[in-house]
Amino acid sequence: MYGTTVAGGGVNLGSVFKLTPAGVVTVLHSFDGGDGANPEAGLVQASDGKLYGTTVFGGRHGEGSIFSIATDGTLTTLYSFPSFDHVDGANPFGLMQHTDGKFYGTTSEGGTSINCDSFDSIGCGTVFSLDLGLGPFVTFVVPSGKVGSVIQILGTDLTGATVVSFNGVPASSFKVVRGTLIKATLPAGATTGPVTVTTSNGTLTSNVNFTVLP
């Protein structure tokens, strides 16, 4: 398991840690201000396997940052929110990855509007997206099920899907409910592994494995 602390670490500006099921904690990274400070939100594991998060303060301009960190502790600052105009926002809190591959998040301050109940004048916050070139994928409402159950698969531009497979075994049947949702019946012979959906734009693969229950 992986998480963040808002303070503590080497210089008391927060850290990223891992925790084993036995309760052993290892600090993977301590923020020093230049690479961010005070990561109040948790982490999200993206489709590339890396962990992503935000810091409320710190970064190049002091207004927060977006970072990635590998499970070996290698941290990369992806974006530092600017202090000079705050149009992009300031003080971000958390990320999510959409099935289009992009990241989305919010900032508590910044933006172009100042008509808010605030003691400062740097804006009321923003909603932002970050495109790192990660491709679209599919995921599930529930990531496990028994043979014969109906599995809800989420994605982007799923209209016109021609094949749905569970670890290489085609679904018994499936229905495209809308462009973002497919309902597929888990076939006999399916085993735990990735789910793929073939569309006219190519094949989408799930960001995590689907678990077939006994």
Side-chain angles (χ1 to χ4, degrees), residues 37-65:
N38 312 118
E40 292 190 7
L43 303 167
V44 59
Q45 187 171 31
S47 54
D48 62 354
K50 292 183 181 179
L51 303 168
Y52 292 81
T54 59
T55 65
V56 176
F57 301 108
R60 183 180 304 172
H61 308 292
E63 299 292 356
S65 67

Side-chain angles (χ1 to χ4, degrees), residues 7 100 106 147 155 192:
D100 62 7
T106 60
V147 169
T192 296

